[in-house]
Amino acid sequence: MATRRRRGEDGISFEHRGPCRDPRRHRTCPGLWRGEITLGYTGDGRRTRRKVSGQTKAAVIDKLRDLHTQLDKGVTPKAGYVHYTVRQAAQDWLATGLDGRSAKTITKNQNVLEPILKVIGARKLRELTAADVRRALAQMAAGYSTAAVSMGHLALKRAIRHAEANDLISRNVATLADTPNGRDGRPSKSLTLDQAVAVITAARTLPVLELRPGLKDVRRPAELMHAYIVLSLLCGIRTEEARALRWAHVDLDGDPETRPPVPPHIAVWRSVRAHGETKTERSRRTLGLPAAAVQALRGWSDRQAGERLAAGDGWQDTGLVFTNHHGIALDAGNVRKMFKRVCAAAGAGEGWTPRELRTTFVSLLSHQGVSIEEIARLAGHASARTTEIVYRRELRPVITTGAEIMDELFTAT
């Protein structure tokens, strides 16, 4: 008489799909060997089981042994995840592991993951090794910048960690691989003082900017880019902060009667990021406006008022400073195209982007002897270390403050 197996033991049996020809060993019987393992019990006392099958009893025993190995490592075997691939893990992370992130952030992670998934995407996640990760990163590094490879490696680690948190694997092998150096990316650069003056002059004197047909905003007045360039260059605000700036946060008059007097200023409190938050906490800052920026913003305010009247009922009152002809926020692609045309007209070439107005701001301040700490405060960086790392090409290469003071002291004696 067969004895009932004890609680928690594995069960192995043969499932017939026809007449039994070998009652003892089932060698010639049509059917499959089945095995099951008890994973635990539900609140109402029912068993939670995981089943496996195979053509032979030995194959079923091997699969049950593998299930026990996973349990010993803290991995909970789940039905349907035996062939779970790296690409599926990445897709699950992108779909459910980035809650609260903007669509742009999700797309960016998807783009930097794709070169890696082309190499190891079909690999079973349970069988993935650190050598596989290094091979995928090395192939990506051959065609992408170091920054892109770093972002891709980070995204892969986070995707596998998401699977690890769901008890699908026991360890994250992506953390065992180092990030290789990729190709040299586009170096940061800044306008010289003469080039900056030429760009401002060109922006003020150019006629109506006409972009190619098919864009959201085909014709824009020169006052728009003149105000945009002057504000970005003279105040060092980010492009995302400029496009989110509202007139309610712009004071072109100030209050000279108070003590101390309040100069014209802008409150950089928003950006086009998700939820309107600025990049860092210290990015929320209030900046005084130079006279040239006040003049440029007044000119654009008058021109925008004319566009509001011309649009009539089609105008959308968003309150934004920089808008298209319907009052909607400027498209980043259109800003880049208009800025390139201004730079070309100024003789600086077309290889410039609006974000390099900010690097020019840092460069001009540094070459005038402004300290890194003060530049970091004006630029809204989290720390002066960020300024040193990100803008190292624009910072003054030689610190001369000490030498100048010592010259004054010892020359006099």
Side-chain angles (χ1 to χ4, degrees):
M1 178 178 176
T3 59
R4 178 184 176 92
R5 58 188 174 89
R6 290 178 297 178
R7 184 185 180 106
E9 285 188 346
D10 301 341
I12 300 178
S13 61
F14 188 83
E15 183 180 286
H16 286 88
R17 294 181 178 176
C20 180
R21 301 169 185 170
D22 185 359
R24 184 177 180 184
R25 298 187 178 180
H26 306 288
R27 289 182 177 177
T28 59
C29 294
L32 288 174
W33 284 95
R34 300 286 188 182
E36 68 176 38
I37 183 174
T38 300
L39 301 179
Y41 296 85
T42 61
D44 56 1
R46 295 183 180 181
R47 279 196 302 164
T48 303
R49 296 177 292 180
R50 174 69 190 278
K51 298 181 179 180
V52 296
S53 61
Q55 293 292 336
T56 64
K57 188 176 182 179
V60 172
I61 292 174
D62 288 340
K63 290 182 179 181
L64 290 174
R65 186 180 295 116
D66 182 52
L67 288 178
H68 278 293
T69 301
Q70 294 181 56
L71 286 173
D72 292 339
K73 292 180 179 180
V75 178
T76 304
K78 294 180 174 61
Y81 285 88
V82 177
H83 304 291
Y84 192 65
T85 64
V86 179
R87 183 176 290 277
Q88 288 175 312
Q91 291 172 345
D92 287 346
W93 173 64
L94 291 170
T96 62
L98 293 173
D99 292 340
R101 307 306 199 280
S102 66
K104 184 178 179 180
T105 299
I106 296 175
T107 301
K108 183 191 73 173
N109 282 286
Q110 186 177 8
N111 291 339
V112 296
L113 272 173
E114 189 56 36
I116 298 175
L117 296 180
K118 285 182 179 179
V119 182
I120 60 174
R123 183 83 166 162
K124 292 180 182 179
L125 185 60
R126 288 170 51 191
E127 299 175 359
L128 185 68
T129 64
D132 295 329
V133 176
R134 284 192 291 268
R135 177 169 56 88
L137 292 174
Q139 292 192 27
M140 183 180 181
Y144 290 82
S145 67
T146 300
V149 177
S150 298
M151 288 188 288
H153 191 192
L154 177 61
L156 179 65
K157 288 189 284 189
R158 294 178 65 188
I160 298 178
R161 186 175 64 191
H162 184 257
E164 187 180 14
N166 291 329
D167 295 330
L168 298 177
I169 54 171
S170 59
R171 66 172 183 169
N172 189 345
V173 296
T175 60
L176 305 178
D178 295 329
T179 305
N181 292 326
R183 299 172 61 182
D184 292 336
R186 182 178 181 273
S188 62
K189 56 183 180 178
S190 59
L191 297 164
T192 65
L193 180 59
D194 292 338
Q195 287 176 322
V197 172
V199 168
I200 292 175
T201 303
R204 184 174 60 247
T205 57
L206 277 179
V208 173
L209 297 176
E210 296 187 11
L211 303 177
R212 64 179 176 82
L215 294 175
K216 297 180 180 178
D217 195 6
V218 179
R219 296 170 61 87
R220 302 306 296 127
E223 290 88 348
L224 168 64
M225 281 310 294
H226 178 238
Y228 185 98
I229 290 172
V230 170
L231 183 64
S232 300
L233 181 61
L234 273 57
C235 295
I237 63 176
R238 298 178 176 90
T239 58
E240 64 201 45
E241 296 167 345
R243 288 186 288 123
L245 185 64
R246 299 177 181 273
W247 285 115
H249 296 156
V250 177
D251 186 347
L252 298 180
D253 299 315
D255 191 352
E257 301 300 327
T258 62
R259 291 293 179 268
V262 177
H265 60 273
I266 57 171
V268 185
W269 293 349
R270 295 178 56 83
S271 76
V272 294
R273 291 171 174 265
H275 311 301
E277 296 296 331
T278 53
K279 187 174 183 179
T280 67
E281 190 173 320
R282 290 190 62 181
S283 294
R284 289 175 60 91
R285 60 205 188 279
T286 302
L287 301 171
L289 287 174
V294 173
Q295 182 180 358
L297 286 171
R298 287 191 191 280
W300 166 237
S301 177
D302 294 339
R303 186 58 185 264
Q304 190 184 58
E307 288 192 333
R308 185 185 297 108
L309 291 175
D313 293 338
W315 182 264
Q316 298 187 30
D317 193 9
T318 59
L320 295 172
V321 174
F322 301 109
T323 60
N324 65 9
H325 57 294
H326 288 305
I328 304 173
L330 279 179
D331 180 73
N334 279 3
V335 173
R336 287 193 295 269
K337 290 179 176 65
M338 289 188 287
F339 181 67
K340 285 184 177 181
R341 180 184 169 183
V342 172
C343 290
E350 295 185 353
W352 298 89
T353 60
R355 65 183 175 87
E356 284 158 343
L357 293 170
R358 179 173 164 87
T359 61
T360 302
F361 169 80
V362 172
S363 176
L364 294 177
L365 287 182
S366 180
H367 282 276
Q368 290 299 309
V370 180
S371 67
I372 294 177
E373 291 75 16
E374 183 64 15
I375 293 175
R377 197 165 69 93
L378 291 170
H381 289 154
S383 67
R385 181 62 177 164
T386 303
T387 312
E388 291 179 323
I389 294 174
V390 179
Y391 293 90
R392 60 187 183 277
R393 293 176 180 270
E394 284 71 37
L395 295 176
R396 194 175 186 180
V398 179
I399 301 175
T400 62
T401 308
E404 292 169 356
I405 293 175
M406 290 302 170
D407 280 341
E408 293 179 4
L409 289 175
F410 285 90
T411 300
T413 58

